[in-house]
Amino acid sequence: MLLPRPILWLGLAGLTAPQRALLTAYMPRDPGSLPAWRVAEFTEADALCINGSAARLLGSGILQVPDSRQGRPPLNLDLREVDRPLMFTEPLADPELAPWDHVDPESERGVQLALKKLESGLQELRTQFALGAAIHHHIDSLQSHIYTVVHQGVPLGVVDFPGRYVYYKTGVSTLQLEQAAWILQPQHGPATVPKGMVEASMTLIMWQFAQHAAVELLPERFLHGPIRLRYKPLVPDAWLKVSQRALIRMLDASDLSVDDLLLQNKGFNREQLLRDLASFYFDGAIASAHGDVRWAPASGVVSRPGLLRAG
């Protein structure tokens, strides 16, 4: 079994058009044996890249980055609140930025090595994506039970379909999950979870999978005919991107097809729209014209509030 690799999203700030073109030319656009990288909105990206020749530290951890587009206000970023990997392009105008990772955007090898370092800082996201990919791959052969995912005798994770939770070891690799066996736990009682595993809702796992997938995940039946919003997705409000908020407003007002959505909102990108709809689908937030919303083995039980619904 081969699992897909993710697209990771890079936010850019302060780069001129030529700088952006140079950097993005060296970014692998499509995933192969390694993740791909594409540009995203700065506030919605997994990792950040800032023009080091323009950025200045103002004190108290505030970084000011002039916008390369004329008439736009500068970006003021509190480095103490940055919760994702960050790098600067060289040269660095402010020597105080030297402790942070930096990259020569004119060096293809330098860019690729810098991206690899960013990938290391996104290990948890990559593990969550791989778990979602593994669940999606095996879903047709699974029942609404609890499974231990084991690689060479070592438990990598526990997938609890009745409880809609996933538990996993930190640092689990895609290769390990590709070679892992799914072992059914006893069907009565709570999940048996080895100590030290990270706990995540299945909503989070499948949302990350859908948002970083390079292939279309939305079932065919949703591509033709109206889509109905059942409820606002059961994820933290901070997770919702601008495109997803617009999608919620449109579907809340009326049932619409994919073509209708693209026609009525010129800001939508079909590829990202299908990712957003797939995220809503895995959350159970949308239904097709056929009324079918279930993707996971159904148990009729949701053990905790705010998790992925079975139907």
Side-chain angles (χ1 to χ4, degrees), residues 20-21 102 139 176 182 208 241 243 259 291 300 305 311:
R20 290 172 65 97
H102 39 91
I139 198 68
Q176 288 174 313
W182 290 56
Q208 294 283 43
K241 299 179 178 179
S243 62
D259 288 340

PDB file of all heavy atoms in Angstrom, residues 20-21 102 139 176 182 208 241 243 259 291 300 305 311:
ATOM      1  N   ARG A  20       9.391  36.220  -5.527  1.00  0.00           N
ATOM      2  CA  ARG A  20       8.370  35.165  -5.431  1.00  0.00           C
ATOM      3  C   ARG A  20       8.529  34.159  -6.563  1.00  0.00           C
ATOM      4  O   ARG A  20       8.447  32.945  -6.352  1.00  0.00           O
ATOM      5  CB  ARG A  20       6.959  35.774  -5.480  1.00  0.00           C
ATOM      6  CG  ARG A  20       6.564  36.565  -4.250  1.00  0.00           C
ATOM      7  CD  ARG A  20       5.234  37.275  -4.490  1.00  0.00           C
ATOM      8  NE  ARG A  20       4.152  36.335  -4.672  1.00  0.00           N
ATOM      9  CZ  ARG A  20       3.313  35.960  -3.720  1.00  0.00           C
ATOM     10  NH1 ARG A  20       3.443  36.451  -2.488  1.00  0.00           N
ATOM     11  NH2 ARG A  20       2.340  35.112  -3.963  1.00  0.00           N
ATOM     12  N   ALA A  21       8.739  34.672  -7.777  1.00  0.00           N
ATOM     13  CA  ALA A  21       8.862  33.787  -8.936  1.00  0.00           C
ATOM     14  C   ALA A  21      10.073  32.872  -8.798  1.00  0.00           C
ATOM     15  O   ALA A  21      10.010  31.679  -9.119  1.00  0.00           O
ATOM     16  CB  ALA A  21       8.962  34.625 -10.212  1.00  0.00           C
ATOM     17  N   HIS A 102      17.298  30.880   7.531  1.00  0.00           N
ATOM     18  CA  HIS A 102      17.255  31.746   6.358  1.00  0.00           C
ATOM     19  C   HIS A 102      17.738  30.967   5.143  1.00  0.00           C
ATOM     20  O   HIS A 102      18.417  29.941   5.258  1.00  0.00           O
ATOM     21  CB  HIS A 102      18.057  33.033   6.573  1.00  0.00           C
ATOM     22  CG  HIS A 102      19.343  32.852   7.322  1.00  0.00           C
ATOM     23  ND1 HIS A 102      20.551  32.608   6.703  1.00  0.00           N
ATOM     24  CD2 HIS A 102      19.613  32.888   8.657  1.00  0.00           C
ATOM     25  CE1 HIS A 102      21.506  32.502   7.602  1.00  0.00           C
ATOM     26  NE2 HIS A 102      20.976  32.668   8.809  1.00  0.00           N
ATOM     27  N   ILE A 139     -10.927   2.469   4.675  1.00  0.00           N
ATOM     28  CA  ILE A 139     -12.263   2.681   5.216  1.00  0.00           C
ATOM     29  C   ILE A 139     -13.280   1.644   4.750  1.00  0.00           C
ATOM     30  O   ILE A 139     -14.154   1.217   5.518  1.00  0.00           O
ATOM     31  CB  ILE A 139     -12.753   4.114   4.904  1.00  0.00           C
ATOM     32  CG1 ILE A 139     -13.915   4.487   5.817  1.00  0.00           C
ATOM     33  CG2 ILE A 139     -13.108   4.296   3.435  1.00  0.00           C
ATOM     34  CD1 ILE A 139     -13.536   4.636   7.245  1.00  0.00           C
ATOM     35  N   GLN A 176       5.926   3.827   7.814  1.00  0.00           N
ATOM     36  CA  GLN A 176       5.456   2.908   8.854  1.00  0.00           C
ATOM     37  C   GLN A 176       3.966   2.617   8.695  1.00  0.00           C
ATOM     38  O   GLN A 176       3.536   1.465   8.823  1.00  0.00           O
ATOM     39  CB  GLN A 176       5.721   3.504  10.233  1.00  0.00           C
ATOM     40  CG  GLN A 176       7.188   3.528  10.642  1.00  0.00           C
ATOM     41  CD  GLN A 176       7.402   4.252  11.950  1.00  0.00           C
ATOM     42  OE1 GLN A 176       6.881   5.342  12.173  1.00  0.00           O
ATOM     43  NE2 GLN A 176       8.176   3.657  12.839  1.00  0.00           N
ATOM     44  N   TRP A 182      -3.784  -3.430  10.787  1.00  0.00           N
ATOM     45  CA  TRP A 182      -4.877  -2.894  11.592  1.00  0.00           C
ATOM     46  C   TRP A 182      -5.509  -4.054  12.366  1.00  0.00           C
ATOM     47  O   TRP A 182      -6.106  -4.956  11.772  1.00  0.00           O
ATOM     48  CB  TRP A 182      -5.909  -2.212  10.707  1.00  0.00           C
ATOM     49  CG  TRP A 182      -5.412  -0.923  10.112  1.00  0.00           C
ATOM     50  CD1 TRP A 182      -4.297  -0.737   9.352  1.00  0.00           C
ATOM     51  CD2 TRP A 182      -6.031   0.362  10.242  1.00  0.00           C
ATOM     52  NE1 TRP A 182      -4.165   0.582   9.000  1.00  0.00           N
ATOM     53  CE2 TRP A 182      -5.207   1.287   9.527  1.00  0.00           C
ATOM     54  CE3 TRP A 182      -7.177   0.817  10.879  1.00  0.00           C
ATOM     55  CZ2 TRP A 182      -5.526   2.640   9.444  1.00  0.00           C
ATOM     56  CZ3 TRP A 182      -7.491   2.169  10.792  1.00  0.00           C
ATOM     57  CH2 TRP A 182      -6.668   3.067  10.093  1.00  0.00           C
ATOM     58  N   GLN A 208      -7.365  17.818   8.291  1.00  0.00           N
ATOM     59  CA  GLN A 208      -5.991  18.021   7.833  1.00  0.00           C
ATOM     60  C   GLN A 208      -5.721  17.231   6.553  1.00  0.00           C
ATOM     61  O   GLN A 208      -5.051  17.718   5.629  1.00  0.00           O
ATOM     62  CB  GLN A 208      -4.994  17.609   8.926  1.00  0.00           C
ATOM     63  CG  GLN A 208      -5.023  18.470  10.179  1.00  0.00           C
ATOM     64  CD  GLN A 208      -4.333  19.807   9.986  1.00  0.00           C
ATOM     65  OE1 GLN A 208      -4.506  20.472   8.969  1.00  0.00           O
ATOM     66  NE2 GLN A 208      -3.546  20.208  10.971  1.00  0.00           N
ATOM     67  N   LYS A 241     -10.893  28.940   6.944  1.00  0.00           N
ATOM     68  CA  LYS A 241     -10.249  29.874   6.032  1.00  0.00           C
ATOM     69  C   LYS A 241     -11.294  30.829   5.462  1.00  0.00           C
ATOM     70  O   LYS A 241     -12.499  30.600   5.560  1.00  0.00           O
ATOM     71  CB  LYS A 241      -9.562  29.102   4.902  1.00  0.00           C
ATOM     72  CG  LYS A 241      -8.474  28.146   5.373  1.00  0.00           C
ATOM     73  CD  LYS A 241      -7.859  27.402   4.208  1.00  0.00           C
ATOM     74  CE  LYS A 241      -6.747  26.483   4.672  1.00  0.00           C
ATOM     75  NZ  LYS A 241      -6.136  25.724   3.570  1.00  0.00           N
ATOM     76  N   SER A 243     -12.065  31.280   2.398  1.00  0.00           N
ATOM     77  CA  SER A 243     -12.869  30.576   1.393  1.00  0.00           C
ATOM     78  C   SER A 243     -13.938  29.704   2.035  1.00  0.00           C
ATOM     79  O   SER A 243     -15.057  29.580   1.516  1.00  0.00           O
ATOM     80  CB  SER A 243     -11.964  29.723   0.501  1.00  0.00           C
ATOM     81  OG  SER A 243     -11.293  28.719   1.261  1.00  0.00           O
ATOM     82  N   ASP A 259     -20.755  23.815  -9.672  1.00  0.00           N
ATOM     83  CA  ASP A 259     -20.733  24.793 -10.759  1.00  0.00           C
ATOM     84  C   ASP A 259     -21.394  26.100 -10.331  1.00  0.00           C
ATOM     85  O   ASP A 259     -20.918  27.186 -10.691  1.00  0.00           O
ATOM     86  CB  ASP A 259     -21.431  24.227 -11.999  1.00  0.00           C
ATOM     87  CG  ASP A 259     -20.614  23.133 -12.679  1.00  0.00           C
ATOM     88  OD1 ASP A 259     -19.385  23.076 -12.441  1.00  0.00           O
ATOM     89  OD2 ASP A 259     -21.194  22.340 -13.434  1.00  0.00           O
ATOM     90  N   GLY A 291     -28.968  12.717  -0.332  1.00  0.00           N
ATOM     91  CA  GLY A 291     -29.181  12.679   1.115  1.00  0.00           C
ATOM     92  C   GLY A 291     -28.164  11.878   1.878  1.00  0.00           C
ATOM     93  O   GLY A 291     -28.251  11.737   3.089  1.00  0.00           O
ATOM     94  N   GLY A 300     -24.023   4.884  15.108  1.00  0.00           N
ATOM     95  CA  GLY A 300     -25.146   5.529  15.759  1.00  0.00           C
ATOM     96  C   GLY A 300     -24.775   6.109  17.102  1.00  0.00           C
ATOM     97  O   GLY A 300     -25.616   6.559  17.854  1.00  0.00           O
ATOM     98  N   PRO A 305     -19.199  15.343  22.570  1.00  0.00           N
ATOM     99  CA  PRO A 305     -19.762  16.390  21.749  1.00  0.00           C
ATOM    100  C   PRO A 305     -18.730  16.993  20.807  1.00  0.00           C
ATOM    101  O   PRO A 305     -17.540  17.014  21.083  1.00  0.00           O
ATOM    102  CB  PRO A 305     -20.238  17.438  22.763  1.00  0.00           C
ATOM    103  CG  PRO A 305     -19.373  17.211  23.956  1.00  0.00           C
ATOM    104  CD  PRO A 305     -19.121  15.736  24.004  1.00  0.00           C
ATOM    105  N   GLY A 311     -23.971  10.184  10.810  1.00  0.00           N
ATOM    106  CA  GLY A 311     -24.998  10.255   9.788  1.00  0.00           C
ATOM    107  C   GLY A 311     -26.080  11.210  10.157  1.00  0.00           C
ATOM    108  O   GLY A 311     -25.978  11.945  11.107  1.00  0.00           O
TER     109      GLY A 311
END
